[in-house]
Amino acid sequence: MTRFEYATVEWLWDAGQLRADLPGGKNFAAQGEYAAVVDLLGKLGKDGWEVITCVSNTNWLFWTLKRPA
């Protein structure tokens, strides 16, 4: 059976706040617009993370990511 790790990425686009929470209590926070989101998701993708869900409301996007543990 394959086991997975999960992470989240949150973006408040009107404030330009970007945050990623990774396993083990690691997190990343930054200010940025579209390019910063693309850069972060690209870096996470190179580390094996894939987006599995995305939800949004008003000024907020929230992604859940997974990768094999």
Side-chain angles (χ1 to χ4, degrees):
M1 177 192 324
T2 303
R3 296 182 185 265
F4 296 99
E5 297 182 286
Y6 294 89
T8 61
V9 174
E10 178 181 44
W11 182 34
L12 298 170
W13 69 71
D14 62 345
Q17 295 177 349
L18 183 61
R19 178 185 170 119
D21 289 289
L22 305 172
K26 299 175 188 170
N27 60 47
F28 170 82
Q31 292 291 115
E33 299 298 325
Y34 294 98
V37 174
V38 170
D39 185 53
L40 176 59
L41 291 175
K43 287 178 183 176
L44 291 170
K46 288 179 183 177
D47 288 338
W49 293 101
E50 68 175 303
V51 172
I52 58 171
T53 65
C54 180
V55 296
S56 65
N57 189 9
T58 315
N59 67 335
W60 173 81
L61 280 114
F62 187 86
W63 295 271
T64 303
L65 299 88
K66 78 174 185 179
R67 71 176 178 184

